[in-house]
Amino acid sequence: MSTQVVLMTGCSAGIGLVTAKRLALESNQRFIVIATVIAMSEKSDLVAAVGDALNKTIFIEELDITKDYDITNVVDKTLKSHGRIDILLNIAGIAHGDIAELVTRDMIEKIFNVNVFGQMRLTQAVLPQMKQRKSGKIISVSSTAGRNGVPYMDMYSSTKFALEGFFESLAVSLRAFNIRICLVEPGPVRTGLRDGVVENFRTRHQDKSIDEIDTKQLQRLLDNILAENGYYDALMPEDVANVIVTRCMEPDEPVLRHLLIPEDLNEVVRIGMADLTGEKTIENVRQSMI
């Protein structure tokens, strides 16, 4: 395989940092990585992780995917410097957990701007040169929350459902251009996003004004998330990075969806996928909150 130019987002921490490091430090140097961070002040962990590979197999650029100017600038600069973008890897995202009616409009817009509109706009920006070359891959880190709704993460789940619809639709028309779409769908992953959701739940759980039913259900969710080998036992970022590389980047014709879940969630997700009415899914998830 010839050297592939990879433009990726969300590289300051978590799955993005781990994946960027893996690609940049490959001994056979199969990839040139354009790793983006929301601000250069956020790059220190990535710089430390890649060491001497910096400005050789990996280049760090600033990109706020909610800003069209940043998107155009990074894509144009990459094309000018490297001639093409072979792979777009969408990892940047944010999460939020709360009682649905208490989520502010500002938070709803923020999470959709990052998780949905930013990915859509960046995808639009790289597509013309991929279509012209009749070659390319677009990989998006989605979530099992985009296949089965997660209680008290209603806004986050809705962004992942939106991404699933966008990329599944896009995958059909792009096959004629030899462009492949991959959706990587991990269950819970041990990252800062997960930690943030735990804090969201803790804060709301302590709110004396909320209904007793919500209080009890939030407590049960917290118990499940924090249990060492519990219902929401989490994956590691390296697990997701491995799927991205081995199932999406290396194969010439990867399939659309790549489900990645801990054993604890196998039954829940599989029931949901086969549940035409949605009732079995609701009851199965509710049982975890009783």
Side-chain angles (χ1 to χ4, degrees), residues 85 201 253:
I85 297 169
F201 287 161
E253 297 182 343

Side-chain angles (χ1 to χ4, degrees), residues 87-230:
I87 300 171
L88 170 62
L89 181 46
N90 291 304
I91 298 180
I94 58 176
H96 186 70
D98 204 347
I99 297 170
E101 65 270 27
L102 300 180
V103 182
T104 66
R105 183 181 184 91
D106 284 347
M107 176 54 70
I108 295 171
E109 291 179 353
K110 179 179 180 180
I111 195 169
F112 269 86
N113 280 334
V114 174
N115 291 6
V116 182
F117 305 139
Q119 285 204 33
M120 288 179 172
R121 295 295 286 156
L122 187 52
T123 298
Q124 288 179 311
V126 303
L127 274 177
Q129 57 89 33
M130 286 187 176
K131 283 186 168 184
Q132 185 178 28
R133 293 186 299 106
K134 304 293 189 294
S135 177
K137 292 178 182 174
I138 299 170
I139 304 165
S140 176
V141 176
S142 180
S143 171
T144 53
R147 304 293 295 275
N148 297 113
V150 178
Y152 298 103
M153 292 192 67
D154 317 86
M155 306 311 168
Y156 176 78
S157 288
S158 63
T159 64
K160 295 302 184 178
F161 269 79
L163 282 180
E164 293 273 334
F166 173 70
F167 282 116
E168 181 176 326
S169 301
L170 195 58
V172 179
S173 61
L174 292 183
R175 285 288 174 93
F177 291 91
N178 192 36
I179 299 170
R180 289 276 171 161
I181 300 285
C182 285
L183 287 162
V184 178
E185 302 168 330
V189 184
R190 293 185 185 274
T191 66
L193 267 68
R194 177 176 177 268
D195 295 340
V197 169
V198 169
E199 286 306 307
N200 294 155
F201 287 161
R202 280 178 172 155
T203 298
R204 189 58 71 190
H205 177 264
Q206 294 166 3
D207 183 346
K208 302 303 182 183
S209 68
I210 66 173
D211 192 283
E212 183 180 356
I213 294 174
D214 282 322
T215 301
K216 289 180 178 179
Q217 293 188 146
L218 283 169
Q219 182 60 61
R220 184 56 176 156
L221 274 176
L222 279 167
D223 292 343
N224 287 332
I225 292 171
L226 297 175
E228 186 174 352
N229 294 299

